[in-house]
Each structure stands twice: as structure tokens, then as C-alpha cells.
Amino acid sequence: MKSRGAARQVKQEGNCREAAGQDNAGEAGMKLYEKKEACCGCSACRDICPVGAIHMISDEEGFRYPRVDEEKCIQCGRCEQVCPIKGEKAGRGENFYFGVQAKDETLRRASSSGGMFPVLAEYVFRRQGVVFGAAFNENMEVVHKEAWNPEELEALKKTKYVQSNPEGIYRRVQEHLKEDRWVLFCGTPCQAHALRLFLKKPYPKLIIADLVCYGAPSPGVWASYVKYLERKSGGKMTRFYFRDKRNKDNGHTCAYVAGGREQAHSLYGDVYCRMYFANQIIRPSCHACKYCTVDRDSDFTIGDFWGIEKVRPEMEDGMGTSLVIIHRSAAREIWEQVKEELRWFACKEQDVLQPRLTSPTPAGRGRKRFMYFYRALPFPVFRFLFIIIMNTKTLLGRIVKG
């Protein structure tokens, strides 16, 4: 009875928060989004607001959504203009497809796939430029940061299966571009498109690299998981690697440091990752994502080269290969300058197609029920319940197949 009462209380509080957000937003709030599927949480509307009327507020699932202060809002409409979901989808262009591995094995080992991102970053560093990407902060929250050298880049290299907080980054990118600096921005497709809309005009020294994105997982669920691991380890978490390559298994090892001790296990055995790949903690807008296509308005699209063992089996060594799609002529010129640092091969569109380049990730069955229990139960209990359910499903699946 206590759990049910707590669930009702949490649910009521969540509904109140949503209602309060809409009421405070007034007409401007309703223009930003009416359903949660219509907001990707990119924060560009917050950055573009000239009077600081928009704040990003976490909902009961742990995702950030914009809330408009009606008293401050001047109805300028800039927040709508910068929204990547409202913006037009990129048209069909002439794309170029490559499989890529950095020749520098240190770069490739420190990357989640083949090392294309650090190669582009080095290109920018040689021109005294700055690189923006996702990194953990001191509280193990994922935020967008800037890096000015290879040492600072280390924090940006690895995959983070958490939606990043890019607040303030769009303005920082614009400031650097206006100072005639080279800038490399790496983010999800919606963040990349939001940056284009925010800037309004092209900049010859801007390189935008977006990712082949499975979907953005909940920062709130991640924060709960971090606290659980810290309590379990008896100390603060300082590192987490979603895609560790120590076993030469294409990054299918998960490792973290908490309480001064390192733990390592299978990526697919990690409870948080199992929640992610069960499609239970992905942002609602991701299930209707319009960027799950090879056509983007970025310069480069980067991801894991799925099926490399079929296309180029001699390159499959368990240390990762990057899929690279080049969308613009300016990006092709950069490619010509960096390709000597890479082992690469050209390929066709059909060689690189993978699920997230053809359609969005579907929502997991029972997602509403999953989030209900997440809100209602203490995380250790919720985690245990999830494991029991998943193991039961696995066992039943084996019985049916057997």
C-alpha cells in the first residue's frame, strides 16, 4: 500500500509540474510544443531567447523541456524559428560514404569506433580552433563542453548513452565563429540542425558532425543509476566508459571507477544499458525522429560501421571502424586534407544502411508501466524488478525457441 500511495503521489506531482509548466508558458509555451513527442530537448530555444524567458525544466522521466516565463516573453517568435523539429528536413543531396579507421592506434583505441572524430578535432586544433562535444562534468552529468587541445579532447571522445545538456553552447559557438575561429561541433542530429537554425547563416570555418543516434536516454534515470553505483561502491564515481575496448570486442565492455575502484562487465550486462537497449528510457521525441536517414544538413555524419565484417572483413579487428557520410562540398575538401591520416575505403549507400539510418527506434513495450515503476519505487528496488522481468522474458524466449 505504501508503494501504491507513493506512486500516486509521484504521479500527481508530475502531472502538477507539467500543468504548471504549460500554465506558466501561456500561449508562447503552447507554441513551443503541445506534446512531448514534439520537443527534442536541444535547448536552442533557451539560448536564442533575447530576454531569458525560457528555462529548461526536468520532467518526471528526467528529460528537460522548455518552460516560458509569460511575464518576460516578448512574443518575438525566435524560439519557434530555431526548433529543429519544426524546421524543414534536409533534402536529398549527393552523399559520399566511407569506412574509416585512424592510422594512429592511440586515437582509435581511445574512441568508441574508428577514430574519425579525433582526426577532425586535430584538423581544427592545428588551426587554433575549438571543438565542442559531450563530456561528463564533476557530477557525472553529461554536458556539452569545449576543448582547445588533445588533452581536453579526451573527455569528449567516448560514447555517452545519456542525453547531453548543451545549454549555452549555441551562443559559445556563435561567439567563436564571429571571432573568425575554426569550430568543430559534434552532437546528435537534432542538436546539429538546431545549431544551423540558431546561426541563421553559413560560416566557412564551422564543421558540424552529427551522429548516427539510437535515441537520447534519460538524464534522470542516469543520475539515479550513478547514485546507486556510488552507494554500492562506497564512494564518488569519477569515470564511466560505455564502450571500453580492452577486450577488443568493438567496445562491448562497460567500465567505471567509483570509490577509487574500477569495475568492468559486459555492456549488455549493465543494467542501465539494458534499459536503454530495451528502448525504455529513450526520449519520446526520438521514437518519431525525422533524422533517421542518410540525408542530413550536417557536414559529416559519424557512427559505427555495422556490418564491416561483410563489406571489408580484413578490417574487422574488434577495435572499431567508423562509418562516415559526407554531405557538403566544403566537407569533401576537408576530407581530402585528412584522409592521409586514415585507413579508408569508399562504399555505397546500401553498404552502410543500418536501422537508425532508415527509421526511428520504436518505443519499448510497456514503456509507460516502466516509467510508472521508476517514479514509484526506490531505484534499487526498481532495478531489481527490472532484472527479474528481463531475465524472465529471456528465459521464456529460450523455452519458446527450444
Side-chain angles (χ1 to χ4, degrees):
M1 293 299 293
K2 185 176 181 180
S3 294
R4 291 178 183 174
R8 285 194 296 271
Q9 182 179 357
V10 171
K11 188 173 183 180
Q12 289 169 359
E13 290 175 354
N15 290 339
C16 288
R17 284 196 297 270
E18 285 189 58
Q22 291 181 354
D23 289 343
N24 289 341
E27 289 298 318
M30 294 306 292
K31 288 180 182 177
L32 285 178
Y33 70 97
E34 294 184 11
K35 295 182 179 181
K36 290 187 175 179
E37 291 81 1
C39 176
C40 64
C42 68
S43 299
C45 56
R46 180 258 187 201
D47 273 20
I48 200 71
C49 182
V51 293
I54 299 177
H55 303 278
M56 303 299 291
I57 307 297
S58 294
D59 73 348
E60 71 280 3
E61 293 184 354
F63 294 106
R64 288 179 290 270
Y65 290 87
R67 181 180 297 176
V68 181
D69 185 334
E70 187 177 303
E71 293 184 359
K72 287 185 178 180
C73 180
I74 59 174
Q75 301 289 330
C76 66
R78 295 184 189 181
C79 52
E80 288 189 281
Q81 296 166 9
V82 80
C83 177
I85 289 184
K86 290 182 172 68
E88 292 186 5
K89 181 180 175 181
R92 182 71 180 179
E94 185 179 9
N95 297 321
F96 299 91
Y97 306 91
F98 300 93
V100 163
Q101 293 178 352
K103 290 180 180 178
D104 185 336
E105 289 301 318
T106 302
L107 284 184
R108 189 158 74 111
R109 191 178 304 111
S111 303
S112 295
S113 54
M116 183 63 186
F117 171 61
V119 167
L120 287 175
E122 293 284 358
Y123 175 88
V124 171
F125 291 150
R126 289 194 294 268
R127 288 155 180 79
Q128 288 74 53
V130 59
V131 176
F132 290 85
F136 290 113
N137 66 12
E138 62 278 4
N139 296 318
M140 294 304 295
E141 300 164 332
V142 179
V143 299
H144 257 65
K145 290 185 176 182
E146 55 186 83
W148 291 90
N149 53 58
E151 290 73 29
E152 294 179 348
L153 185 71
E154 288 299 316
L156 279 58
K157 286 182 182 178
K158 294 287 188 178
T159 294
K160 287 88 182 173
Y161 289 141
V162 187
Q163 183 171 29
S164 71
N165 182 350
E167 290 182 24
I169 291 302
Y170 303 99
R171 293 179 181 178
R172 291 290 295 154
V173 169
Q174 187 176 58
E175 289 169 5
H176 289 308
L177 291 170
K178 287 183 176 180
E179 293 170 355
D180 199 33
R181 288 195 179 96
W182 278 88
V183 174
L184 167 61
F185 176 89
C186 184
T188 61
C190 52
Q191 291 171 341
H193 188 44
L195 178 60
R196 291 277 192 210
L197 295 172
F198 183 94
L199 296 173
K200 297 182 181 178
K201 67 176 185 179
Y203 287 86
K205 292 185 178 181
L206 171 65
I207 305 171
I208 296 181
D210 64 10
L211 305 170
V212 179
C213 180
Y214 187 83
S218 166
V221 176
W222 167 249
S224 298
Y225 187 52
V226 170
K227 290 178 182 177
Y228 166 77
L229 292 180
E230 289 181 336
R231 286 194 297 267
K232 179 182 176 181
S233 303
K236 184 175 176 58
M237 182 183 291
T238 54
R239 295 180 186 176
F240 198 101
Y241 304 107
F242 285 101
R243 302 283 301 279
D244 191 288
K245 293 182 179 179
R246 67 183 67 190
N247 294 321
K248 295 186 176 181
D249 57 359
N250 288 307
H252 290 168
T253 298
C254 206
Y256 66 91
V257 177
R261 297 188 301 275
E262 184 185 63
Q263 303 286 337
H265 48 257
S266 166
L267 174 69
Y268 300 108
D270 182 83
V271 174
Y272 175 84
C273 292
R274 289 183 73 180
M275 293 176 183
Y276 179 37
F277 292 120
N279 304 346
Q280 301 291 355
I281 60 173
I282 294 174
R283 191 179 184 97
S285 63
C286 298
H287 302 307
C289 179
K290 67 180 181 181
Y291 299 102
C292 294
T293 170
V294 295
D295 298 311
R296 313 274 182 91
D297 70 346
S298 59
D299 296 294
F300 296 89
T301 293
I302 303 174
D304 290 318
F305 198 118
W306 287 20
I308 184 66
E309 70 281 358
K310 298 177 182 178
V311 180
R312 288 294 175 96
E314 70 275 9
M315 294 185 73
E316 171 57 292
D317 60 359
M319 294 301 288
T321 303
S322 292
L323 157 67
V324 177
I325 308 175
I326 299 177
H327 303 287
R328 295 170 175 261
S329 57
R332 191 65 189 268
E333 293 175 8
I334 294 171
W335 165 260
E336 291 297 325
Q337 296 180 61
V338 303
K339 67 181 184 180
E340 292 305 316
E341 302 171 44
L342 306 163
R343 291 187 292 271
W344 61 274
F345 63 92
C347 52
K348 298 179 180 180
E349 182 177 318
Q350 57 264 34
D351 296 326
V352 307
L353 286 182
Q354 51 183 271
R356 298 298 74 83
L357 289 175
T358 59
S359 60
T361 298
R365 291 183 60 185
R367 184 187 183 281
K368 289 184 179 179
R369 185 166 58 251
F370 173 95
M371 283 297 180
Y372 170 84
F373 284 115
Y374 166 68
R375 297 191 299 268
L377 300 173
F379 189 81
V381 177
F382 169 70
R383 170 191 171 277
F384 180 75
L385 178 64
F386 174 78
I387 292 173
I388 294 297
I389 293 173
M390 292 298 290
N391 289 347
T392 301
K393 287 183 178 179
T394 301
L395 178 61
L396 289 175
R398 289 175 179 174
I399 292 174
V400 171
K401 288 183 180 179

